[in-house]
Amino acid sequence: MTYETKSSKGYDGWQATSEAEIGQTAEGPRILKLRTAKARGGLAASASVCIRKNAAQAGFMCETTEIFGDFYKSGIALTECRRVTEKAVLEVHSRALQGMDSLIEQAKAFYEAKEQQAA
């Protein structure tokens, strides 16, 4: 499957992000976000899940996450790099995207197990 990649430059330098919807909750869709950015000694991607809520009265979208309770994985496609350029970030991100389908399955399994424990 193909995923849209957005790159941007912020305070910490270049980063690339891609998203995939992995399910629905009562509050809104559950989104898996893959983010590639500067890491210790180079570049690496991390995957995290949030719930995207529509704050209709306020007119904006917000994302919520439960600290230590939502799926998170770091150190994906760890690559040594001297300079963090947009080109370098996009190359590492494309390598990390090759494992996106696996990350989606891991996240779905994580939430299925979490729901079974709650029941």
Side-chain angles (χ1 to χ4, degrees), residues 12-105:
D12 292 329
W14 285 100
Q15 69 174 3
T17 57
S18 296
E19 298 180 351
E21 186 174 318
I22 61 169
Q24 284 289 333
T25 67
E27 299 170 342
R30 189 172 275 148
I31 308 292
L32 174 70
K33 297 176 107 180
L34 183 68
R35 178 180 176 267
T36 304
K38 179 172 60 173
R40 183 173 290 203
L43 295 169
S46 61
S48 61
V49 172
C50 66
I51 295 175
R52 189 167 287 153
K53 298 179 182 179
N54 185 0
Q57 294 104 349
F60 62 89
M61 301 292 282
C62 66
E63 295 177 348
T64 60
T65 188
E66 181 184 338
I67 298 173
F68 303 116
D70 279 323
F71 179 81
Y72 181 81
K73 187 171 184 179
S74 61
I76 303 166
L78 184 60
T79 305
E80 289 186 20
C81 177
R82 288 185 184 268
R83 292 187 60 218
V84 182
T85 63
E86 182 180 22
K87 180 181 175 184
V89 169
L90 290 173
E91 285 176 9
V92 173
H93 191 72
S94 68
R95 272 190 264 132
L97 276 174
Q98 293 173 359
M100 185 72 154
D101 293 332
S102 173
L103 288 170
I104 290 170
E105 294 304 316

